[in-house]
Amino acid sequence: MISTPGSVLGEAMEAPPAAPMVGDLNDELIKTDVWTDEMVQRAGIPIVDVPFVTCGGGMGSFVLTDYLRIAGLDTSKIRILSNLEYPWQTYEYLTRVSQIPRPERLRSDSSGMPDCIWGFPSYALREARKEKTLKPIINVLTEPVLADYWTPRAGTVFTGLEKESTRIRYKDMLVTGQVRMVRRRSNGGYFTILTPPPGTTATRRVAYRSQHVHLAIGYPGLKFLDDLQEYRTKYKDLARTVNAYEPHEHIYEGLLAKPGTVLVRGGGIVASRVLQRLMDDREQKGAQTEILHLFRTYYSGRHNKWGLAKRRGAFGFAFQGFNAPKSAWGGQHIEQMLKLEGPDRKALYDLTGGAHTPYRKYWLDQMKRGRDQGWYKTYQGEVTDVRPGTNGVVTTIKQKNGTTATLEAQIILDCTGLEADIREHRICADLLDHSGVGRNPLGRLDVAPSFEVRGAQSGVGRLYASGSATYGGYFQGVDTFLGLQLSAQRITDDLAAQGFVPRIGVGRSVRAWWKWFRHKPI
Ligand SMILES: Cc1cc2nc3c(=O)[nH]c(=O)nc-3n(C[C@H](O)[C@H](O)[C@H](O)COP(=O)(O)OP(=O)(O)OC[C@H]3O[C@@H](n4cnc5c(N)ncnc54)[C@H](O)[C@@H]3O)c2cc1C
């Protein structure tokens, strides 16, 4: 695991208190799986009662909170425990460093709208109206046959989120701090332990006692490839081996000032974005960068047959419009997934997942020019060694035909990994050790179709989870806007079935949409 500036990715390390403080976790609490109210009181930790707590405060917490508010839950009944100031903070950080600033387009489709549970009017309609053009609508109507998938600009999504968070009074529900753990309560429900920012409370911890808890804690952390991590640790060279999710603007600036060679590793969308930036700088700003591109798996044609379909591939890349097949958001794919358990479910994930990138003509044309002019070269192989060389960092690879090759570059840009094991996240590790929670076939949190975390039920209380921590469950598109919406819808329905919130039926939905359309606060 590597850390990123601030605390937006995964868990921030808690600062130790300057002096021993009252109201902290003690041995009794740490060792006991199910807590009584008296145990928490004995530790001097103040208890705050609130019916519903969501931990994370990123996009997943926002989307669920939006649903619950639309269903009619009052702000006083919800607390969002988060180390973020606003829900899209981590997301914007990740998109910006991986080369999607606000004017650039995202990967999701026109109706994946985290700021509008109805998906209407879609982002394409919004853009058409704002920019007085029919282009986005024609694109959506003819994609993917006559045009590449239309996707919204990052800035459009952030502006919408800002508006909606004001409308639902998101700030009134937000409590800043670091969530340390969630434990079951002997009388039902949960205690969520929050470490507030230093100096803001008299005690080191505060316990939120709630009936239900929702977790949307995003990615456990960045994960470097093992060989790069070893290189960084052994040679203390953080400047020449960079993960694409670390801030690395200085690299592009350096390459504009002085020609150099970059080795890009990975074949997913982040690699595509980074390549676009390197190539744009070359073609539009005069950089003289030589690009070496290393794939572990190299696709040169159609592959991964599924029914009658096969995924497209070329020049190393596997092509897929979104980060799960489009069918994953509905219909037969969901029905099929619901019937699969264990290795069978994993097999379908293996077939349709992996690293892939959207097919975009702009990128393909750019790479072709690079290949033709000799400044973009691709390789396939397993890395066997990374060490400092005379003119940069030398990567030795074993190629498919058994021969070795050495690639020397001034910079290695790792575009492979964001996801560490869920145990790297303290909340998940604590749940695995103390709350009867299990793992799904891909090793993440095992959730039911309702997104309830299996094994963690506590009397009338339910623990729910959404986002990447649940990838590998019955619904493949969990780590997407539409996926966060689908999980929020299922959780809200489950809570409604228990009588915790009113059901969002047709009448309520139509009235709520009309309010949303007119930007009326709720
Ligand atoms: C570069 C990139 C581009 C993407 N583009 C798209 C796209 O175009 N379309 C799409 O549909 N999806 C996209 N996704 C996927 C997904 O929609 C986003 O990652 C989304 O932000 C996931 O929401 P989340 O709530 O799970 O995580 P986040 O939005 O990251 O929120 C979780 C937050 O919880 C907080 N947290 C964690 N632990 C604690 C703790 N102990 N205490 C307090 N707070 C804590 C952290 O601040 C963390 O960031 C993209 C993902 C990435 C990385």
Side-chain angles (χ1 to χ4, degrees):
M1 274 250 293
I2 55 177
S3 56
T4 51
S7 59
V8 288
L9 250 196
E11 282 216 278
M13 279 297 122
E14 280 174 8
M21 282 181 74
V22 287
D24 203 350
L25 294 165
N26 56 22
D27 273 359
E28 183 186 29
L29 288 172
I30 288 169
K31 286 183 187 148
T32 312
D33 291 349
V34 181
W35 295 351
T36 62
D37 295 353
E38 295 70 38
M39 284 165 65
V40 180
Q41 282 153 2
R42 260 201 305 279
I45 301 177
I47 296 175
V48 178
D49 281 308
V50 60
F52 193 90
V53 159
T54 171
C55 306
M59 301 288 280
S61 291
F62 176 80
V63 173
L64 179 60
T65 307
D66 199 25
Y67 265 86
L68 294 177
R69 294 282 294 116
I70 286 166
L73 208 60
D74 189 70
T75 52
S76 62
K77 304 258 168 66
I78 308 171
R79 284 296 168 267
I80 301 153
L81 311 184
S82 176
N83 56 19
L84 301 174
E85 286 161 41
Y86 49 92
W88 59 98
Q89 192 173 349
T90 299
Y91 182 65
E92 184 163 10
Y93 163 80
L94 288 172
T95 47
R96 193 179 57 244
V97 291
S98 63
Q99 304 307 307
I100 319 174
R102 284 187 169 225
E104 286 290 327
R105 295 193 180 272
L106 298 171
R107 192 182 184 179
S108 44
D109 83 348
S110 172
S111 56
M113 305 179 78
D115 60 336
C116 170
I117 74 166
W118 303 272
F120 179 81
S122 68
Y123 286 134
L125 284 169
R126 257 190 229 180
E127 191 173 300
R129 186 166 163 262
K130 191 169 164 221
E131 297 180 12
K132 299 195 175 31
T133 165
L134 286 175
K135 262 191 189 165
I137 297 168
I138 294 166
N139 196 137
V140 167
L141 292 175
T142 56
E143 71 188 21
V145 181
L146 300 183
D148 293 344
Y149 280 114
W150 186 90
T151 61
R153 293 204 174 91
T156 309
V157 175
F158 300 139
T159 309
L161 286 166
E162 201 169 342
K163 250 183 176 173
E164 183 64 353
S165 64
T166 309
R167 193 180 81 89
I168 64 168
R169 293 191 279 138
Y170 187 86
K171 284 220 162 117
D172 293 357
M173 299 169 273
L174 181 64
V175 182
T176 311
Q178 188 76 14
V179 177
R180 172 70 179 78
M181 57 177 60
V182 180
R183 289 281 173 97
R184 285 169 294 167
R185 175 173 171 261
S186 61
N187 287 349
Y190 303 88
F191 283 110
T192 303
I193 295 294
L194 183 83
T195 313
T200 56
T201 47
T203 56
R204 175 137 160 83
R205 321 273 183 181
V206 176
Y208 283 80
R209 181 167 55 190
S210 64
Q211 183 174 344
H212 302 297
V213 174
H214 168 243
L215 298 178
I217 46 179
Y219 304 103
L222 287 184
K223 191 175 184 315
F224 248 119
L225 290 168
D226 289 345
D227 55 85
L228 286 181
Q229 185 59 56
E230 269 167 39
Y231 173 86
R232 278 166 69 115
T233 312
K234 189 166 171 190
Y235 299 104
K236 313 247 173 308
D237 184 0
L238 306 188
R240 295 188 297 181
T241 48
V242 180
N243 185 288
Y245 289 115
E246 293 178 296
H248 61 277
E249 191 57 32
H250 61 283
I251 288 181
Y252 304 110
E253 283 163 12
L255 288 166
L256 279 174
K258 191 171 162 219
T261 304
V262 177
L263 173 64
V264 175
R265 293 182 60 176
I269 184 157
V270 176
S272 298
R273 289 283 183 192
V274 163
L275 287 172
Q276 182 190 340
R277 173 69 192 269
L278 292 168
M279 294 183 183
D280 279 351
D281 281 358
R282 205 187 144 101
E283 298 192 314
Q284 294 161 19
K285 296 186 182 165
Q288 290 302 306
T289 315
E290 301 283 321
I291 305 165
L292 313 178
H293 186 186
L294 176 59
F295 293 90
R296 193 167 49 188
T297 312
Y298 190 97
Y299 296 99
S300 47
R302 290 194 177 265
H303 57 281
N304 287 22
K305 189 170 182 312
W306 186 26
L308 294 177
K310 268 187 175 183
R311 189 157 66 188
R312 244 195 312 186
F315 307 110
F317 289 96
F319 295 116
Q320 188 165 287
F322 307 104
N323 64 358
K326 208 161 185 209
S327 58
W329 283 271
Q332 289 177 8
H333 190 130
I334 291 192
E335 284 305 310
Q336 187 178 354
M337 235 6 148
L338 278 171
K339 292 182 197 133
L340 298 179
E341 297 292 340
D344 294 335
R345 197 180 328 146
K346 183 172 182 312
L348 187 53
Y349 268 93
D350 288 346
L351 188 69
T352 52
H356 41 67
T357 194
Y359 183 95
R360 291 195 187 154
K361 194 171 172 310
Y362 182 82
W363 291 343
L364 286 161
D365 289 350
Q366 224 176 15
M367 286 188 279
K368 181 172 183 324
R369 286 195 296 277
R371 277 192 305 274
D372 291 349
Q373 294 164 21
W375 45 261
Y376 171 61
K377 298 191 181 89
T378 57
Y379 300 85
Q380 179 191 16
E382 287 286 335
V383 173
T384 54
D385 187 49
V386 185
R387 64 179 62 218
T390 44
N391 198 22
V393 185
V394 177
T395 303
T396 307
I397 56 166
K398 187 163 180 234
Q399 301 183 103
K400 220 178 163 192
N401 60 10
T403 59
T404 55
T406 52
L407 313 174
E408 185 157 20
Q410 279 80 58
I411 301 289
I412 298 181
L413 255 169
D414 175 19
C415 305
T416 56
L418 186 61
E419 314 234 358
D421 184 75
I422 52 168
R423 192 168 267 285
E424 303 274 0
H425 198 289
R426 267 209 293 189
I427 302 179
C428 294
D430 195 82
L431 285 171
L432 289 166
D433 293 339
H434 295 282
S435 294
V437 165
R439 289 178 184 257
N440 68 29
L442 266 65
R444 314 272 176 98
L445 289 180
D446 184 24
V447 295
S450 63
F451 288 87
E452 178 185 344
V453 182
R454 286 188 171 132
Q457 199 170 340
S458 179
V460 291
R462 302 274 188 282
L463 176 70
Y464 297 96
S466 48
S468 93
T470 64
Y471 187 74
Y474 299 100
F475 176 60
Q476 191 171 353
V478 279
D479 187 29
T480 63
F481 298 161
L482 216 49
L484 293 173
Q485 286 180 287
L486 185 135
S487 28
Q489 170 90 53
R490 295 253 170 106
I491 295 168
T492 310
D493 285 350
D494 199 53
L495 290 169
Q498 297 161 49
F500 184 78
V501 284
R503 205 172 76 81
I504 307 181
V506 179
R508 178 177 290 271
S509 184
V510 171
R511 283 194 304 277
W513 178 82
W514 184 232
K515 263 193 173 175
W516 175 88
F517 189 66
R518 290 174 301 141
H519 307 302
K520 293 280 171 219
I522 50 172

